[in-house]
Amino acid sequence: MASVACIGECMVELRQAQGGQSTGQSAGQGGGLFSRGFGGDTLNTAVYLARLEVKVDYLTALGDDGMSEEMVAAWNAEGVGTRRVVRLPGKLPGLYMIQLDANGERQFFHWRDSAAARQLMSLPETDELLNSLMSYDIIYLSAITLSIYDAAGRDRLFAAIKRARLLGTRFVFDTNFRARGWPDRDVAREVFAAAFAVADIVLTSTEDLLALYPGESSEQLMARIPTPELVFRLAEPVSLLRFPGGTSEVRAEPMTKPVVDTTAAGDSFAAAYIAARLGGSDSVEAAHAGHRLASLVICYPGAIIPGYAMPPKKRHRPATTRQATK
């Protein structure tokens, strides 16, 4: 069975509950009740891959605390492999808080500078972890993943990806860009260029790239990416595809339900696209699958929709070798 390694960070999420203040606080004090969950872009993709019956492991570092235990238990329950999760005694996962203002707009606050996941590329276990990448059909990570490592850690990871690619592993890079994770945009542009140079498939969007290269056209942005297979999502629900032998435009089906929460739209698109490619679909069919799942996910609150809401499984042509994504 084809397999995927997702690399990244999952954090504890505190989300402001709708309505009501915590005990002893008035409406003007800025307090309130918060619900606790977990969140992370590549983790979301891993969960959706598992639900789409793709064998997937999540590669990260966690602490030995109760919240880390809850994370691992939840991932196992979803069918996400946790054998590559490194546990660090005394460390904790990162935390972020989502706060709503009077108009319902979201604001994010992060506490992650000493999170366990940031040490993943500098541990005694790192060499073994990176050598394991050669056993997977696909390595998937995002720009957020790269932003949590220092320059030496990123170089170490890229070197391991290059070694794995020599044995047929494919590298899928998702440009999920968050400016707050980078010291400045020049560093981000340099790292993006390094990822583009080694990637087999790039999943990107105008939202991500225009933040790095303002004022450029879609054609100019796509020309920056030399990878043979490219999915470029526009602001409207349309993807421009480039693949060996051609290009195409894939438009999402019109929405029939109201949009509730756009969280994980890109993460779920990535999962469905990768699953379809591993299943033998071409790039166009895979992009349609990505749009279908993303269009469903944004109709529910939160990053991970209920299991019963997942679309019926579509059987693709069988694929058991690494050639399926080429």
Side-chain angles (χ1 to χ4, degrees):
M1 178 185 289
S3 58
V4 178
C6 289
I7 308 173
E9 178 185 21
C10 183
M11 292 184 287
V12 178
E13 176 190 274
L14 297 180
R15 179 183 293 267
Q16 191 172 30
Q18 299 227 345
Q21 302 291 101
S22 58
T23 303
Q25 291 177 316
S26 65
Q29 290 180 298
L33 299 175
F34 289 81
S35 61
R36 178 168 64 83
F38 305 119
D41 62 337
T42 54
L43 187 277
N44 298 335
T45 299
V47 169
Y48 284 115
L49 280 168
R51 289 185 176 186
L52 293 169
E53 300 185 342
V54 173
K55 184 179 179 182
V56 56
D57 287 335
Y58 197 57
L59 282 62
T60 192
L62 290 173
D64 57 355
D65 59 293
M67 289 180 289
S68 295
E69 290 291 344
E70 287 184 30
M71 287 185 186
V72 171
W75 304 346
N76 282 326
E78 285 283 0
V80 175
T82 57
R83 59 182 174 150
R84 310 290 189 199
V85 176
V86 181
R87 306 299 294 273
L88 303 181
K91 298 296 291 184
L92 294 169
L95 179 147
Y96 69 98
M97 181 175 69
I98 304 174
Q99 192 171 47
L100 301 178
D101 65 16
N103 299 316
E105 293 295 327
R106 295 187 298 176
Q107 188 173 8
F108 294 84
F109 303 88
H110 290 78
W111 294 266
R112 68 193 301 195
D113 289 347
S114 60
R118 301 180 75 91
Q119 299 184 21
L120 189 64
M121 292 299 124
S122 58
L123 299 171
E125 301 90 343
T126 300
D127 283 341
E128 180 181 355
L129 189 76
L130 292 178
N131 287 335
S132 75
L133 295 178
M134 293 183 284
S135 66
Y136 294 92
D137 294 276
I138 282 180
I139 300 165
Y140 171 81
L141 57 84
S142 72
I144 293 178
T145 303
L146 296 175
S147 73
I148 69 173
Y149 308 135
D150 60 18
R154 287 191 289 264
D155 289 344
R156 199 173 181 183
L157 176 56
F158 282 141
I161 291 172
K162 291 175 183 177
R163 293 194 299 269
R165 291 179 73 239
L166 293 175
L167 296 179
T169 299
R170 314 294 280 175
F171 171 38
V172 180
F173 176 54
D174 191 325
T175 63
N176 202 0
F177 175 70
R178 298 293 182 270
R180 62 180 174 271
W182 298 93
D184 58 60
R185 281 173 167 75
D186 286 337
V187 172
R189 283 188 279 263
E190 181 179 345
V191 174
F192 270 53
F196 292 155
V198 73
D200 297 285
I201 301 173
V202 169
L203 307 177
T204 189
S205 67
T206 53
E207 179 182 7
D208 290 339
L209 294 189
L210 284 177
L212 287 175
Y213 313 104
E216 293 195 3
S217 67
S218 295
E219 292 76 15
Q220 290 172 315
L221 294 172
M222 293 177 70
R224 288 183 173 275
I225 305 173
T227 185
E229 186 170 336
L230 172 64
V231 180
F232 186 84
R233 299 188 305 276
L234 304 181
E236 57 199 275
V238 175
S239 291
L240 304 180
L241 309 183
R242 187 182 71 217
F243 44 85
T247 60
S248 186
E249 178 183 297
V250 173
R251 185 173 295 273
E253 295 294 323
M255 296 289 296
T256 58
K257 296 181 180 179
V259 174
V260 174
D261 186 347
T262 59
T263 303
D267 307 334
S268 57
F269 181 101
Y273 186 90
I274 292 170
R277 293 292 282 125
L278 285 172
S281 294
D282 62 25
S283 298
V284 174
E285 292 171 329
H288 279 297
H291 280 300
R292 281 194 297 270
L293 182 55
S295 295
L296 179 63
V297 167
I298 62 178
C299 295
Y300 291 84
I304 306 298
I305 65 176
Y308 63 78
M310 288 292 293
K313 294 180 176 62
K314 179 181 178 181
R315 296 297 175 186
H316 302 280
R317 296 185 296 274
T320 57
T321 70
R322 299 185 179 191
Q323 300 301 315
T325 59
K326 292 184 179 179

